[in-house]
Amino acid sequence: PITPDSSEKYVRELSVNMTTEQLVPIVVDVYPLDTPIIDYEYEIDNDVVEIKSGLIIPKRDGSSVVKVKTLDGTELGTVNVTVVQPESPPDITAAETYNVVNDDFGIASDGVTETCDAINAMLNSKSAEGIKKVVFQNGTYIIGNDKSVKPPSGMTIDLNGSTLRQEGSPELIEGWAVVKIESGSHDIRLTNGYIYSDRQDRDPSFNMEFRHCIVCEGSHIELDNLDIGYTTGYGVTFGPSKTKRLAYVSVNNLEETSTNCWKTISPIDISNLEKTIEYCYPFGYCGWGFVNDTVKMQLRILDADKNIIAQYDNYRPYQILSKPDNAKYIDMDILNTEITGSNSDFGSSMGVFAEFDSTDYIDMHDCYIHHCKSLGTAYSSKGLHNVIRNCTYDYNGGAYATSDVDFEDGWEFMRYVTMRDNKFLENSTRSMVICAGDRLIFYNNTFKGAMHIGDRAVNTLIIDNVFDYDTTPNKHVDINLEWYSGAVFVDSNIFNKAWFCVNNARDNQTIKRIYLKNNMFYQGGVINTSKYETISGLSMTADTVTQGAVTDSIIITE
């Protein structure tokens, strides 16, 4: 078994594929965890680059080598950053396009006739014929109360200004969506139309959380130029992800080799995993599952004879590995981790090795999401490299989770999600709830409602946003700093009549990494209600307030 080194530092991400529109978080893990992680020098191709709170902002095409050094010049590691310009999809020819005509397949756009089964029959038939684009005839298509339009893989659906509207019904049917992009589907574009549920047909007091406009469980999906709303549930929900295969890690199969260091007694059979290996804890709000710290591991992948064929010394949960063809078992060491119990509902396990279908590479842009009684957008899935940009959220909330966007039941599976250039306007309570997630980026957005950052949000990046609460008093940005929290970077934002509140949710850890840098406060300030008198970038006595005068402003710098 390997043992922890209290002075160890290493670069967490070793390669990143991205487009030039995205920001890249480079995370340096440092032990002990309360050591500042921004005091490093970064170079791209031997040129020192501008750093914004641990972010590399590439300004060139092709591949670059990013070096991470301490200020005394000690090199910690390199990151190979590849800036990928997306290939333009080939033009869809007239022969590959089908224009929907009323009565074909029994389809009707009269705003009265229920037509969902006919639409799905048409989509599947045309997909089988090799059609790549379907253009709807302008009109209103009624979708049954318990039905969903299900786009097939490899197809663009141009609504052509039409409306898909869910049929109002006295039946209280939960769990349905006007459009459902199913798990395993891919390369789908939905564009240029209106997606409405049945809220307008309901009594104003009626609440039904799980009635949605769009449910997306696929990958490589584009949602653009859509007007989405009038639902008692969610406007757009990403997930839930589908767990394909599991191999449980039972606490009964662990022995403690030294204080808080553990080793598997018998190798874990992973023969049911086909292509990828990912250690995770997908069981719900319990987080790491009786694990009171972030988890560092060494993995040894074994063949059928239990010979080592691959080894990962600095493995972190939720990293996805390709499974070698002849892999049969995994042997593992767990370091720096107090294990106090197990989850009896899942094989007395503290985690699993898993393989997933997930909502990866989603691009939602130029959409108007409004009048959703619960959430405008819900993340309840495993999702990587998703972007929400140039969207407007308005008049969402009022029941249940009640915010514009909620990063919730996807837990730490939500990684590299970027929200940029969006507007969050009127809502009942909050613009944003971030319960969990890893390397979530909020860049150049305008917020009229409050933001809550929970204590399972890891390496959250809040940069160049405007929090303008002039017309929405008593809102604030609220962050909880304990339990599993990684660093939270708050850089170059403008706060107008807004308070930045630093709280403690739990007292079972001492992780305290928040970085306030170059933020401007107008008629607002910072409230520190945490138990820490000094937090990196935020130094004051607990329970005191820093506040600008009515006509003045304050600047928080590093």
Side-chain angles (χ1 to χ4, degrees):
I2 54 178
T3 56
D5 178 353
S6 62
S7 63
E8 180 180 6
K9 303 176 179 67
Y10 62 91
V11 181
R12 183 172 185 176
E13 289 304 319
L14 298 181
S15 63
V16 181
N17 293 322
M18 54 169 285
T19 71
T20 52
E21 290 187 344
Q22 292 177 298
L23 308 180
V24 181
I26 304 299
V27 179
V28 179
D29 279 328
V30 180
Y31 291 89
L33 289 173
D34 59 356
T35 302
I37 66 174
I38 58 172
D39 295 333
Y40 297 105
E41 181 180 278
Y42 297 81
E43 296 180 358
I44 295 183
D45 298 333
N46 298 317
D47 294 329
V48 176
V49 296
E50 176 189 5
I51 297 301
K52 286 197 154 193
S53 298
L55 284 178
I56 301 296
I57 305 178
K59 298 178 180 178
R60 63 196 77 188
D61 295 338
S63 298
S64 295
V65 176
V66 180
K67 293 182 180 179
V68 184
K69 300 179 179 180
T70 59
L71 296 182
D72 64 6
T74 303
E75 187 170 318
L76 300 179
T78 61
V79 181
N80 298 313
V81 177
T82 301
V83 179
V84 180
Q85 294 289 354
E87 295 183 6
S88 298
D91 292 335
I92 298 174
T93 66
E96 296 170 322
T97 302
Y98 171 71
N99 294 292
V100 176
V101 178
N102 279 344
D103 297 330
D104 283 4
F105 298 88
I107 293 173
S109 62
D110 56 14
V112 177
T113 307
E114 198 288 312
T115 193
C116 186
D117 289 342
I119 289 175
N120 285 331
M122 176 271 294
L123 293 174
N124 292 329
S125 174
K126 295 305 174 182
S127 177
E129 294 175 13
I131 293 296
K132 296 181 179 178
K133 183 176 182 180
V134 168
V135 181
F136 277 66
Q137 180 174 323
N138 189 270
T140 297
Y141 298 81
I142 300 300
I143 309 304
N145 190 43
D146 58 350
K147 301 179 185 294
S148 298
V149 174
K150 298 179 179 179
S153 295
M155 182 172 283
T156 293
I157 297 176
D158 184 350
L159 293 176
N160 190 28
S162 294
T163 299
L164 301 181
R165 184 168 66 83
Q166 198 159 50
E167 180 180 35
S169 169
E171 297 180 75
L172 305 183
I173 299 176
E174 292 196 40
W176 300 102
V178 183
V179 176
K180 184 174 183 182
I181 300 173
E182 295 187 297
S183 179
S185 60
H186 57 87
D187 297 291
I188 294 168
R189 182 186 179 194
L190 179 64
T191 184
N192 190 25
Y194 301 82
I195 312 291
Y196 291 162
S197 187
D198 62 351
R199 180 178 177 180
Q200 290 174 298
D201 300 323
R202 300 289 185 181
D203 182 276
S205 64
F206 177 83
N207 294 324
M208 183 67 73
E209 182 178 11
F210 297 108
R211 291 186 67 82
H212 312 317
C213 294
I214 299 174
V215 169
C216 180
E217 298 177 351
S219 63
H220 295 84
I221 308 298
E222 184 176 5
L223 305 172
D224 69 285
N225 292 287
L226 298 171
D227 187 308
I228 302 166
Y230 299 111
T231 179
T232 58
Y234 307 161
V236 182
T237 182
F238 296 110
S241 60
K242 300 298 182 182
T243 306
K244 294 162 64 175
R245 298 163 189 87
L246 295 175
Y248 291 110
V249 180
S250 172
V251 295
N252 299 322
N253 189 32
L254 298 176
E255 60 180 353
E256 192 169 14
T257 58
S258 60
T259 302
N260 291 337
C261 291
W262 309 79
K263 185 183 184 303
T264 46
I265 298 170
S266 300
I268 299 163
D269 189 337
I270 58 167
S271 56
N272 64 330
L273 306 182
E274 292 185 351
K275 296 180 180 179
T276 59
I277 301 168
E278 180 177 3
Y279 179 80
C280 51
Y281 190 85
F283 304 143
Y285 290 99
C286 297
W288 289 100
F290 303 94
V291 175
N292 289 337
D293 207 338
T294 54
V295 178
K296 179 185 175 185
M297 299 175 173
Q298 183 186 75
L299 301 185
R300 294 172 292 278
I301 301 178
L302 314 175
D303 62 17
D305 297 323
K306 300 183 180 178
N307 298 311
I308 298 175
I309 57 176
Q311 180 166 312
Y312 302 89
D313 290 339
N314 291 320
Y315 180 81
R316 285 289 187 172
Y318 304 101
Q319 287 179 273
I320 301 172
L321 306 175
S322 296
K323 181 185 176 184
D325 292 338
N326 56 339
K328 171 71 174 177
Y329 300 102
I330 278 186
D331 195 19
M332 62 191 298
D333 294 312
I334 305 172
L335 306 179
N336 287 351
T337 302
E338 179 185 357
I339 300 174
T340 61
S342 63
N343 194 318
S344 60
D345 293 332
F346 296 91
S348 297
S349 65
M350 60 162 285
V352 296
F353 288 101
E355 189 170 14
F356 293 89
D357 282 333
S358 58
T359 54
D360 300 342
Y361 298 96
I362 308 298
D363 184 6
M364 185 168 79
H365 62 92
D366 298 288
C367 293
Y368 179 47
I369 302 170
H370 60 102
H371 293 95
C372 303
K373 198 169 185 178
S374 184
L375 298 171
T377 295
Y379 265 88
S380 56
S381 71
K382 172 180 165 55
L384 297 172
H385 303 288
N386 295 348
V387 179
I388 298 177
R389 55 191 174 92
N390 298 316
C391 292
T392 299
Y393 289 83
D394 207 5
Y395 296 107
N396 299 306
Y400 300 106
T402 190
S403 65
D404 284 327
V405 180
D406 185 5
F407 290 87
E408 186 91 12
D409 295 326
W411 310 302
E412 285 76 21
F413 289 125
M414 304 173 291
R415 285 170 287 167
Y416 305 113
V417 179
T418 299
M419 300 199 69
R420 61 179 300 163
D421 305 306
N422 302 290
K423 294 180 180 178
F424 299 86
L425 304 178
E426 301 297 328
N427 62 75
S428 62
T429 51
R430 304 184 187 96
S431 291
M432 190 76 58
V433 176
I434 308 167
C435 293
D438 190 351
R439 282 153 286 182
L440 307 180
I441 301 172
F442 301 91
Y443 176 71
N444 201 38
N445 302 286
T446 298
F447 296 95
K448 295 286 187 181
M451 173 184 282
H452 172 79
I453 304 172
D455 54 7
R456 282 180 62 186
V458 184
N459 303 307
T460 307
L461 304 150
I462 303 171
I463 297 176
D464 288 331
N465 302 283
V466 175
F467 297 87
D468 185 358
Y469 298 162
D470 185 52
T471 60
T472 54
N474 302 317
K475 304 291 186 181
H476 57 271
V477 178
D478 176 70
I479 178 168
N480 295 321
L481 280 182
E482 263 190 294
W483 197 17
Y484 174 53
S485 292
V488 178
F489 300 94
V490 184
D491 190 337
S492 302
N493 301 282
I494 295 174
F495 295 85
N496 182 31
K497 295 186 178 179
W499 294 94
F500 189 88
C501 304
V502 183
N503 302 316
N504 285 116
R506 299 167 178 84
D507 291 328
N508 63 341
Q509 282 194 1
T510 57
I511 300 174
K512 44 185 184 294
R513 297 188 293 173
I514 178 171
Y515 303 98
L516 285 139
K517 179 180 176 182
N518 299 325
N519 297 286
M520 181 74 74
F521 290 83
Y522 297 93
Q523 300 182 44
V526 180
I527 302 175
N528 180 13
T529 60
S530 79
K531 68 180 181 181
Y532 305 117
E533 293 187 2
T534 302
I535 302 172
S536 181
L538 172 62
S539 181
M540 61 186 71
T541 303
D543 301 318
T544 62
V545 173
T546 299
Q547 180 179 9
V550 173
T551 58
D552 296 332
S553 63
I554 60 172
I555 302 175
I556 304 295
T557 68
E558 61 175 333

